[in-house]
Amino acid sequence: MNFVLPNEVNVTWTVMIVLYPYITGLVAGAFIMSSLYHVFGRLELKSISRFSLVSAFVFLLFAPLPLLIHLGEPLRSFNIMITPNFNSAMAGFGFIYSAYLLLVILEIWFSLRGEFIRCARGIGWKAGLCRIVVMFNLEETDAERRADGKITRFLAGMGIPLACLLHGYVGFLFGSLKANPWWSTPLMFVIFIFSAIVSGIAVLIFLYLIVAWINRWEIDRACVNSMARYLWGFMMVAVSLELLEILSIAYKQTEEWEILARLIETKLFLSYIVLQFLIFSLIPFLFLGIAVLFRLKTRIADGLIWLASSMLLIQVLLMRWNVVIGGQLLSKSMRGFTSYFPGLLEREGLVVAVVIFTLPFGILYLFNRIIPLFPSHPKLSEGDSSNS
Amino acid sequence: MKTSGKPFAIVLLVGGIICASGIGFFIWRDSRSGTGPENLTLFLISGLAAVVFSAAGAHILLGFRKTDRKDFKPDYRHAFPPLGLIGIVLLAALIARDLSVPETFGQYGRYRGAAIGEATQFEIRHREMTVCRDCHDEIVRMVQKDLHTYLECFVCHGPAGGHADDPESVVPPVPRSNDICLLCHMLLAARPGHFPQIELDEHFRSAGVKDRNIRCIQCHSPHEPLFMDRDIREARMHPMIHRCRDCHIDMTDETRPKPSDHPVIFECSYCHAGTVRDFYGRPHAQVKCTTCHLFTRINEFSGRIIRDADPRFCLLCHRDADYRGPESPPGIDWPEHLADAGADPKEMNLKCIDCHSDALHGDLSDE
């Protein structure tokens, strides 16, 4: 039971291809959270609306980096733009990504124009940078502010289908590969979208609570509770879809189940069954359920929500790993498996992956130095501090 | 003026949309045909007109909205600079695309058509074996009858184009290290199982080699690696003989017994039962049939089989040499062994099996 065809021994889509949908998912999830405030009027999410939009932007900047490192020859990446091939699903990334990036940049420009102008009126390098950003127009009227709001709302609305397209397309890439039974399912892009939303909300909660704790801010309870509820709801849908998908194959007992069952029982047992579902899905599900359904002390509730968010971030990463790597472990012969674990220091190794994943947070920090991502957050008073 | 402005603005906007659609059409058409824009001027004018018409239309329309209504309304004019900038960038991108995409791109497919013509102009550096044969006929014949028959000379000796033109001053390299042999014959999981591959330590152990610094070419001639006494291309066809590695990537030991639940596969004893039975009582019983009956796969179902009876082939295992250890198979000095055995010096073409057939197996003629 280990018949592997010669061209399948080496796994070619490495950890970089795991990272690519993961970062893209963070973008889509964070953007949809910001749209919940801008489009759907969820006012309780105002505290994190700016942060979520900028998070989507910085993750978007780094989404193609794993692809470029994997493919090499970054100068050739423009070829998909200048010689478009509409028959290629891969080429879709170039157009959807560019349109989405443009939209996010415009939305940030219009929604933060007032902030940029205020900063531009000062002195120093930040003011100079902001003057360039606002194109040296430092005037701002109420009518323009109103227009900015409308444009932002319009762009946020347009961005939701684009966000779904961007991430749905990544799922489509896998789901449309009919030769691979682990990938080939029409549910794949739906699963990807929902898991993207989960990871996006999770990373926002994760960062928001950390920043609030470090700066000793008063946490916006309504905002955190609302995000926790959304996270709980979306993670239930995402995990249920994944389970239903695998359950339907198992129940149908089609010929591919012979190999998929072995894949799950052997090669993916730890990362799929134990880690992805039993630990990093079930425990956050319980934590969030407790935090949402019961009245707890705020510190305990925040701790549970933060822990659940952190675990769900790992859960989505595991999901990407199990999809991308798992699909390559099984042979087209349906009679064998290969193995893969990334090296530490190689070009597509773990260190590079960690560096790529860390870079967006650095840019987020720099952005925050210029335009505060969490404006007007009151500090905890001494009394609050001792109570919490 | 105010009442006639709105329709005009709408006309401008519609014009902008039509021009933008024109660009979309050009891109769509070009992508289908794979060629660059056929009419660059029209293409650029469309782009420029789309931006200008849209901006002007929006400006007039929004301006009227602002002045028409008395109540407080949004003012969108500050949005024009960034949107205009995007329009300029897009236009610049379109121009850059037109300049950067080669003219013949897509002529035959998704590549530059002129590349084919340019490729034909390259100086030919690789010379085929037919050129080498003019001077090295004997070696070429040697190569073609043995297992390297499908290799061109340049695989080991480099392109050597200049050597054919000027043999004295351009001398092709003669690689002698093991590295070049192992480039093809080192055991790799990704190589097809039927391709001859070795794991160096195991190979040395099976041949009783103690000196790890020995080079491959001390035993195997690169020009006739297994010293075939007949031309491999004329060897008879034989049904497929499987190796363990055909199915098991990590199974290099061909002598390992099969597990009891192993699927039934084609075995030599099915057709040559008597010979196989007889063989198990002989000194070579530990050797697989295919060690001497060399099988070369031709397709999924069959290959060519040749029983190599050249003495040099037997000497691959049985030559007495310094680099062999005590565990090596029994060795002899060659060709002194012939004289030691009292053979007639005129019978130097004697083959090992002429005297030692009893070490192998009985006569096959009854099967």
Side-chain angles (χ1 to χ4, degrees):
Chain A
M1 184 60 192
N2 202 19
F3 189 108
V4 179
L5 299 170
N7 60 341
E8 297 169 337
V9 173
N10 297 318
V11 167
T12 45
W13 284 6
T14 59
V15 70
M16 289 295 130
I17 307 300
V18 175
L19 207 56
Y20 157 61
Y22 186 58
I23 296 181
T24 320
L26 295 175
V27 177
F31 185 86
I32 286 171
M33 279 309 282
S34 83
S35 295
L36 283 175
Y37 166 72
H38 287 300
V39 182
F40 298 107
R42 306 304 306 176
L43 296 178
E44 72 271 18
L45 297 175
K46 187 179 178 184
S47 302
I48 53 97
S49 67
R50 181 185 295 181
F51 170 59
S52 53
L53 183 60
V54 177
S55 299
F57 171 64
V58 294
F59 285 124
L60 195 58
L61 285 179
F62 290 93
L65 195 58
L67 276 187
L68 291 178
I69 288 175
H70 172 69
L71 294 171
E73 303 288 349
L75 291 178
R76 290 188 190 171
S77 62
F78 294 103
N79 287 1
I80 62 167
M81 304 300 287
I82 61 172
T83 54
N85 180 358
F86 293 115
N87 293 325
S88 160
M90 284 284 179
F93 175 75
F95 301 104
I96 298 171
Y97 173 82
S98 305
Y100 192 46
L101 182 63
L102 187 65
L103 183 137
V104 171
I105 289 173
L106 280 176
E107 189 178 337
I108 287 179
W109 196 87
F110 283 110
S111 65
L112 298 181
R113 201 173 73 92
E115 295 289 336
F116 282 124
I117 287 175
R118 265 187 289 285
C119 177
R121 284 174 182 153
I123 50 171
W125 66 271
K126 291 184 205 169
L129 191 65
C130 288
R131 273 195 284 275
I132 295 171
V133 170
V134 295
M135 303 176 80
F136 303 99
N137 177 11
L138 303 189
E139 299 301 320
E140 193 190 24
T141 63
D142 287 340
E144 287 174 350
R145 261 196 290 275
R146 187 168 291 222
D148 287 342
K150 285 194 161 202
I151 294 173
T152 302
R153 207 157 41 249
F154 171 76
L155 290 172
M158 293 288 292
I160 295 172
L162 261 182
C164 291
L165 261 181
L166 177 71
H167 204 68
Y169 143 84
V170 180
F172 171 81
L173 274 182
F174 292 98
S176 60
L177 289 175
K178 61 187 173 190
N180 192 317
W182 187 239
W183 291 341
S184 177
T185 161
L187 265 185
M188 188 60 86
F189 75 95
V190 184
I191 293 171
F192 263 64
I193 289 173
F194 276 99
S195 60
I197 296 172
V198 169
S199 66
I201 303 173
V203 77
L204 293 177
I205 298 177
F206 174 82
L207 284 176
Y208 174 64
L209 288 178
I210 284 185
V211 171
W213 285 332
I214 290 174
N215 294 300
R216 302 178 59 74
W217 287 339
E218 191 178 326
I219 291 168
D220 186 339
R221 291 250 49 84
C223 175
V224 171
N225 287 341
S226 177
M227 284 202 290
R229 278 194 296 273
Y230 279 119
L231 183 61
W232 196 41
F234 279 116
M235 73 88 61
M236 279 192 276
V237 177
V239 175
S240 303
L241 281 172
E242 284 178 57
L243 286 172
L244 282 172
E245 199 269 330
I246 201 72
L247 195 66
S248 70
I249 304 175
Y251 184 74
K252 284 188 286 186
Q253 292 282 311
T254 46
E255 65 274 16
E256 67 258 29
W257 179 245
E258 289 290 320
I259 183 84
L260 293 185
R262 284 175 180 270
L263 178 72
I264 294 167
E265 287 164 4
T266 56
K267 291 282 178 178
L268 295 185
F269 183 76
L270 181 65
S271 63
Y272 188 68
I273 303 285
V274 177
L275 293 177
Q276 186 186 333
F277 284 113
L278 292 181
I279 295 179
F280 288 98
S281 294
L282 193 60
I283 296 175
F285 170 76
L286 295 174
F287 280 5
L288 286 171
I290 292 168
V292 167
L293 297 176
F294 297 98
R295 292 177 68 86
L296 303 171
K297 284 185 177 177
T298 53
R299 200 170 58 173
I300 295 173
D302 288 345
L304 284 179
I305 292 170
W306 184 84
L307 263 177
S309 304
S310 315
M311 292 183 82
L312 283 173
L313 273 176
I314 299 170
Q315 190 262 2
V316 177
L317 183 62
L318 283 166
M319 178 262 180
R320 307 288 191 250
W321 172 276
N322 289 324
V323 169
V324 177
I325 303 300
Q328 296 174 87
L329 295 184
L330 60 95
S331 168
K332 304 289 179 297
S333 66
M334 305 294 163
R335 284 168 54 205
F337 304 104
T338 183
S339 300
Y340 171 75
F341 195 79
L344 197 62
L345 294 171
E346 59 198 37
R347 193 181 82 172
E348 299 187 41
L350 290 173
V351 170
V352 176
V354 169
V355 168
I356 291 175
F357 188 64
T358 313
L359 285 174
F361 296 99
I363 303 293
L364 206 57
Y365 173 75
L366 284 179
F367 200 102
N368 184 57
R369 294 285 305 276
I370 299 167
I371 304 290
L373 297 175
F374 300 99
S376 64
H377 244 84
K379 285 237 175 197
L380 278 174
S381 63
E382 286 300 318
D384 290 339
S385 170
S386 59
N387 286 338
S388 61
Chain B
M1 181 67 185
K2 285 180 183 175
T3 50
S4 61
K6 271 188 183 175
F8 178 61
I10 291 169
V11 168
L12 282 174
L13 281 175
V14 171
I17 292 168
I18 291 171
C19 292
S21 309
I23 296 177
F25 170 73
F26 287 135
I27 293 174
W28 173 76
R29 187 195 60 189
D30 296 344
S31 68
R32 283 180 68 83
S33 65
T35 59
E38 290 180 7
N39 191 332
L40 175 63
T41 315
L42 193 64
F43 189 75
L44 295 181
I45 287 174
S46 300
L48 194 61
V51 174
V52 171
F53 284 177
S54 306
H59 184 72
I60 294 169
L61 192 65
L62 298 174
F64 272 106
R65 282 184 65 181
K66 190 185 177 190
T67 50
D68 276 355
R69 300 188 183 178
K70 299 297 177 198
D71 53 345
F72 180 69
K73 282 293 167 189
D75 180 1
Y76 290 97
R77 281 176 299 185
H78 69 287
F80 293 149
L83 295 179
L85 180 67
I86 290 169
I88 290 167
V89 169
L90 286 178
L91 198 61
L94 286 173
I95 295 170
R97 175 195 185 273
D98 193 75
L99 295 174
S100 58
V101 175
E103 202 173 310
T104 56
F105 179 83
Q107 190 177 354
Y108 307 113
R110 296 200 60 77
Y111 58 91
R112 194 167 54 87
I116 296 174
E118 288 169 18
T120 61
Q121 302 304 313
F122 289 142
E123 183 192 355
I124 298 174
R125 296 178 64 228
H126 289 73
R127 294 296 167 92
E128 292 179 351
M129 201 182 267
T130 47
V131 178
C132 308
R133 175 175 292 169
D134 291 343
C135 303
H136 306 286
D137 183 44
E138 192 180 336
I139 292 177
V140 167
R141 260 191 280 151
M142 205 185 286
V143 170
Q144 287 189 326
K145 64 117 175 120
D146 216 288
L147 279 176
H148 280 169
T149 182
Y150 302 109
L151 290 188
E152 287 287 345
C153 303
F154 58 68
V155 172
C156 299
H157 293 292
H163 174 67
D165 301 328
D166 185 2
E168 295 300 322
S169 51
V170 182
V171 180
V174 181
R176 297 182 191 281
S177 74
N178 290 352
D179 292 344
I180 192 162
C181 306
L182 293 175
L183 201 65
C184 295
H185 294 293
M186 183 170 61
L187 181 69
L188 289 181
R191 276 199 180 115
H194 62 82
F195 187 83
Q197 307 163 64
I198 59 160
E199 202 283 305
L200 208 54
D201 286 338
E202 190 181 308
H203 187 67
F204 282 165
R205 197 166 47 248
S206 65
V209 173
K210 63 177 181 185
D211 181 6
R212 289 189 49 83
N213 294 321
I214 187 175
R215 291 178 299 178
C216 303
I217 56 171
Q218 283 180 257
C219 296
H220 301 276
S221 162
H223 294 138
E224 45 176 352
L226 291 184
F227 306 107
M228 292 197 168
D229 60 351
R230 277 165 293 164
D231 194 330
I232 180 72
R233 295 168 299 176
E234 293 168 4
R236 67 185 174 86
M237 298 293 285
H238 188 279
M240 187 68 175
I241 301 176
H242 285 290
R243 296 182 189 205
C244 300
R245 286 199 65 242
D246 287 346
C247 302
H248 306 278
I249 54 169
D250 47 358
M251 190 76 71
T252 55
D253 185 4
E254 295 280 336
T255 58
R256 194 167 150 185
K258 289 198 295 288
S260 57
D261 58 345
H262 193 280
V264 176
I265 57 169
F266 182 84
E267 290 181 7
C268 304
S269 58
Y270 287 5
C271 302
H272 310 286
T275 309
V276 169
R277 237 187 345 266
D278 175 62
F279 180 68
Y280 281 136
R282 312 267 178 173
H284 279 90
Q286 298 303 315
V287 179
K288 279 181 68 72
C289 303
T290 48
T291 305
C292 301
H293 298 272
L294 301 165
F295 180 79
T296 308
R297 183 170 134 150
I298 300 294
N299 54 40
E300 292 290 321
F301 314 103
S302 60
R304 293 193 184 278
I305 196 162
I306 193 167
R307 186 201 60 177
D308 198 354
D310 192 299
R312 291 172 301 169
F313 176 71
C314 303
L315 288 169
L316 286 173
C317 293
H318 294 291
R319 184 189 290 275
D320 198 11
D322 295 340
Y323 51 75
R324 290 195 192 275
E327 293 172 1
S328 60
I332 58 162
D333 291 324
W334 185 265
E336 292 80 2
H337 176 73
L338 283 174
D340 294 346
D344 185 348
K346 293 175 186 172
E347 296 287 334
M348 288 303 279
N349 286 330
L350 266 178
K351 294 180 176 174
C352 305
I353 57 170
D354 291 340
C355 304
H356 299 288
S357 61
D358 59 327
L360 301 168
H361 46 64
D363 189 6
L364 281 175
S365 57
D366 57 338
E367 291 206 4

